Amino acid sequence: MELIVCIKRVPQTAEAEVKIDDSGKDIVKDRLTFDMNEADSYALEEAILLKEKFGGAITAVSLGTAEAEDTLRIALAKGADNAIRIKAEEFGELDGYKTAMIIKEAIKDLKFDAIFTGCMATDDSYYQVGPVLAETLGVPHATLVSKIELTDKKVHVNRELEGGLIEHLEMSLPAVFAVQTGINEPRYASLIAIRRAAAKEIKVLGKDDIASEPKLNSTLEELFVPPVGKRAEFLTGTADEVSARTAEIIKEKGLI
Amino acid sequence: MADILALVEHRQGTIRDITYELLTYGRKLTEKTGGKLTGVVLGHNTDRYTETLKKHAHRLVVVDHEVFKDFNAETYQVALVDIIKKENPFLTLIGNTAFGIDLCPALATKLDIPFTTDCIGVEIADTRVKLTRQLYDGKMDAHVRLSDSSSYMLTLRSGTCAAEEGSLAAEIQKIDAPVTNQPDYKKFIEYIEAAVGDVDITKADVLVGVGRGIKEQANLAMIEEFAKAMGGVVACSRPIVDANWLPKDRQVGSSGKTVKPKLYIAVGISGAFQHIAGMKSADTIIAINKDPNAPIFNEADYGIVDDLFKVVPALKNKIMEMKQ
């Protein structure tokens, strides 16, 4: 099977304090760590599992700056066979749509049975790359994918709906799957594999390799700190003092 | 005259709440633009839907066919491309739900109109559309402008606007289904209900919700002990289930369970909107998190900005003392 996985390198903001930079359009990134977008690591694992079962090769693609090559090397160490970086620095502002259209240009000569993306990226929260890519390539897609089972020529796909409900679809390949987190257990790359991946070649494509620059659907005008409505009453002091006060509150509510 | 189209979402024979939020939001936009609000219903045996929807829109465009009984982005897209081309609305509103996420990006790409996803605010000024979105795990908001066009599309996050009763009387226009079979390459088969586990978190009075902040599975024992001291049950946010540290039936949030306990203690949960959606109706919310800007503190009644590994054991001891 020929498999393609789209990967994005993103700042890890879930557990970090986030501040706006001087441009007003971006966040201060120098104190943040960067890693493979969470859903993308599940997408990569799903491709590796399919490759292990059915054979074939995986191409990992990332639209990113030079640092994205570190993330692509992690993908190579985990089980991808080829890697392509598209120089994000040559394309100016990006949104989910433009990202998908650029990736399409970069992969249009590759044969594929399935393309995997994360269902969304934690930095810009778009949910767009997978379904736009599918539409522009003329193949079906499924988003929020929580299970993929390949039998004969059919693929049984589960999508995660609201409230824990699952939608079961029957699809055929080629197709694009935008994968939800939790679908599998992403592996860690071994040190030997990481060392080996360091020597592998990463193909780098730029604007000149893309037929025409896709348009932008949306332009970011400004970032701002989310307005706070109701705000918690903050309990301050040592852990002991805070705990004593909290326990009192719980008691006042009649819950002890 | 900016006309608005809003897509009706239904599942297993019931109109989903997001529909009324979209219609309310669309109605308010048309009050400003002077346009008309049209609800689009794709479904089967749609009379049961249109009866309740009539009040909420100026018009309803209805396609009634068995093929639309259950959602399939492929068949829905065929019908919606026709409808949107014919109606040429200024703006099409779709819910940012499992349905809308699967539908909108490909549909707008097919129609070649500017769109974006997961909006929490919409402003229309002349022919331009300015949106509010959330970035970076909900820690930043952004104003985003859609590229100039005569027609736009977006998905709206649920909870952006409270649903209100309408007082309109929609004219209903039925049109023929442009597609009558699901394609072989993508067929809806069935819904699978969530598995039922040993603990029902929706029935507990006290829930201790645990998130990414606990760092390691081994630390769950500390949370279990704390919950036990409180006479409560451990629930969690999505990352804990993704990591397989707790079963799916403990997950609180839009893709998990909606809970309304008397007390919800959020431990190491930053407060992604999907999680908030599942626990905001708790009587009392206490949040413990080391990031003072974590969105959870906008929902909590009481906040503790500190290391959970110090606070949780101390609080457990205080509660044990109090019980003696």
Side-chain angles (χ1 to χ4, degrees):
Chain A
M1 296 188 86
E2 297 300 320
L3 307 167
I4 296 172
V5 184
C6 303
I7 284 166
K8 188 178 190 183
R9 181 178 181 268
V10 295
Q12 302 298 296
T13 51
E15 290 295 297
E17 256 187 84
V18 181
K19 293 201 167 82
I20 302 170
D21 75 1
D22 293 337
S23 76
K25 295 185 177 192
D26 208 342
I27 56 168
V28 179
K29 288 176 173 158
D30 53 2
R31 289 174 63 191
L32 294 172
T33 55
F34 282 73
D35 204 348
M36 191 181 296
N37 177 50
E38 192 182 11
D40 300 354
S41 69
Y42 287 93
L44 172 64
E45 180 65 28
E46 204 56 24
I48 297 169
L49 292 171
L50 275 188
K51 184 181 99 167
E52 285 174 346
K53 209 164 167 189
F54 299 99
I58 297 170
T59 301
V61 184
S62 187
L63 173 60
T65 52
E67 296 85 356
E69 291 185 20
D70 299 342
T71 312
L72 283 170
R73 287 196 194 283
I74 296 291
L76 288 167
K78 287 185 175 190
D81 302 274
N82 313 295
I84 301 171
R85 176 174 79 89
I86 314 161
K87 293 179 178 171
E89 62 272 25
E90 294 187 357
F91 290 93
E93 187 174 350
L94 295 167
D95 60 13
Y97 174 84
K98 185 171 172 182
T99 300
M101 295 307 248
I102 293 170
I103 291 174
K104 180 237 175 177
E105 285 296 322
I107 63 169
K108 68 178 179 201
D109 295 329
L110 299 181
K111 270 202 224 153
F112 69 89
D113 297 292
I115 299 177
F116 296 87
T117 71
C119 63
M120 60 95 82
T122 54
D123 57 349
D124 53 21
S125 180
Y126 273 128
Y127 303 92
Q128 293 177 11
V129 171
V132 172
L133 199 50
E135 182 62 34
T136 183
L137 288 164
V139 300
H141 69 268
T143 57
L144 304 170
V145 171
S146 59
K147 189 178 173 187
I148 298 175
E149 224 174 64
L150 197 59
T151 55
D152 290 334
K153 283 180 179 166
K154 289 292 178 191
V155 199
H156 286 269
V157 178
N158 285 358
R159 294 184 64 232
E160 183 186 273
L161 309 181
E162 290 80 8
L165 193 67
I166 298 291
E167 179 182 284
H168 171 198
L169 301 168
E170 186 186 273
M171 296 176 67
S172 50
L173 300 179
V176 176
F177 303 106
V179 168
Q180 178 59 290
T181 56
I183 183 175
N184 51 41
E185 287 181 48
R187 69 196 63 197
Y188 291 96
S190 71
L191 280 173
I192 296 171
I194 289 172
R195 228 171 283 147
R196 238 182 259 141
K200 282 197 186 167
E201 193 203 344
I202 291 174
K203 189 173 164 188
V204 179
L205 299 177
K207 212 168 164 176
D208 295 342
D209 303 295
I210 304 293
S212 66
E213 185 173 343
K215 64 180 184 188
L216 201 58
N217 259 330
S218 54
T219 310
L220 194 148
E221 295 193 321
E222 56 168 345
L223 279 186
F224 57 100
V225 176
V228 287
K230 192 191 78 173
R231 190 83 175 135
E233 177 190 336
F234 285 96
L235 310 176
T236 54
T238 64
D240 225 37
E241 288 162 2
V242 163
S243 299
R245 177 76 191 108
T246 309
E248 271 168 40
I249 291 167
I250 295 169
K251 194 177 179 185
E252 281 162 23
K253 306 268 175 200
L255 292 163
I256 298 179
Chain B
M1 294 287 274
D3 290 335
I4 312 270
L5 215 72
L7 194 58
V8 170
E9 186 169 329
H10 55 82
R11 183 173 295 151
Q12 295 173 304
T14 307
I15 296 171
R16 303 199 66 239
D17 291 347
I18 182 74
T19 300
Y20 297 107
E21 295 176 21
L22 288 175
L23 290 168
T24 303
Y25 204 82
R27 218 156 52 225
K28 291 188 175 186
L29 287 174
T30 56
E31 280 163 18
K32 285 185 204 150
T33 64
K36 293 255 182 293
L37 172 68
T38 300
V40 177
V41 187
L42 308 182
H44 188 226
N45 297 331
T46 53
D47 289 350
R48 57 189 162 160
Y49 302 144
T50 51
E51 203 47 45
T52 40
L53 289 169
K54 272 196 304 208
K55 299 193 291 283
H56 295 270
H58 298 103
R59 278 176 72 228
L60 290 173
V61 172
V62 180
V63 190
D64 193 319
H65 191 280
E66 204 182 342
V67 78
F68 297 121
K69 178 170 171 273
D70 300 299
F71 173 72
N72 181 340
E74 296 288 332
T75 51
Y76 272 56
Q77 179 168 316
V78 173
L80 287 166
V81 164
D82 282 0
I83 292 169
I84 291 168
K85 276 187 179 166
K86 187 166 163 290
E87 299 281 329
N88 193 29
F90 176 74
L91 177 64
T92 302
L93 297 174
I94 301 175
N96 195 65
T97 55
F99 169 98
I101 288 165
D102 216 47
L103 182 70
C104 166
L107 173 63
T109 300
K110 176 80 179 173
L111 286 162
D112 196 23
I113 60 174
F115 73 98
T116 200
T117 41
D118 199 15
C119 301
I120 57 168
V122 183
E123 253 180 77
I124 298 175
D126 293 327
T127 58
R128 293 191 155 177
V129 177
K130 194 162 104 172
L131 308 161
T132 309
R133 301 185 70 249
Q134 284 202 318
L135 313 182
Y136 302 107
D137 292 296
K139 293 189 175 176
M140 281 293 152
D141 279 6
H143 281 142
V144 168
R145 191 166 62 77
L146 289 178
S147 305
D148 288 345
S149 169
S150 57
S151 188
Y152 304 92
M153 185 179 292
L154 60 88
T155 64
L156 197 71
R157 184 185 289 182
S158 65
T160 298
C161 130
E164 291 171 16
E165 266 309 293
S167 55
L168 301 170
E171 157 212 344
I172 295 175
Q173 186 187 350
K174 292 204 173 185
I175 56 176
D176 289 340
V179 53
T180 51
N181 284 305
Q182 296 195 74
D184 280 340
Y185 53 80
K186 188 176 179 184
K187 281 193 159 117
F188 170 90
I189 303 292
E190 62 183 339
Y191 291 113
I192 303 169
E193 302 287 342
V196 181
D198 54 341
V199 175
D200 186 352
I201 57 170
T202 65
K203 299 242 158 67
D205 283 341
V206 176
L207 281 176
V208 179
V210 60
R212 222 187 270 269
I214 65 154
K215 294 195 171 75
E216 285 176 35
Q217 184 169 18
N219 298 329
L220 265 180
M222 176 187 83
I223 304 295
E224 289 281 0
E225 279 173 34
F226 174 53
K228 205 172 149 197
M230 299 277 313
V233 169
V234 176
C236 64
S237 63
R238 169 157 210 130
I240 304 298
V241 175
D242 284 349
N244 261 328
W245 295 352
L246 283 173
K248 180 87 184 165
D249 57 33
R250 300 288 185 107
Q251 186 186 329
V252 171
S254 48
S255 63
K257 298 234 164 97
T258 301
V259 296
K260 290 174 189 173
K262 290 187 177 137
L263 175 64
Y264 190 90
I265 306 182
V267 180
I269 289 178
S270 66
F273 77 91
Q274 294 96 333
H275 185 75
I276 302 278
M279 47 65 85
K280 63 182 176 194
S281 305
D283 292 346
T284 301
I285 299 169
I286 299 174
I288 305 168
N289 201 296
K290 66 179 190 323
D291 175 8
N293 298 319
I296 191 78
F297 290 125
N298 297 337
E299 287 302 323
D301 300 288
Y302 301 96
I304 300 165
V305 181
D306 204 344
D307 181 359
L308 70 91
F309 296 102
K310 283 195 293 184
V311 177
V312 170
L315 182 54
K316 189 194 96 180
N317 289 338
K318 290 285 173 208
I319 286 168
M320 299 293 272
E321 279 171 29
M322 230 172 232
K323 280 167 86 175
Q324 274 164 13

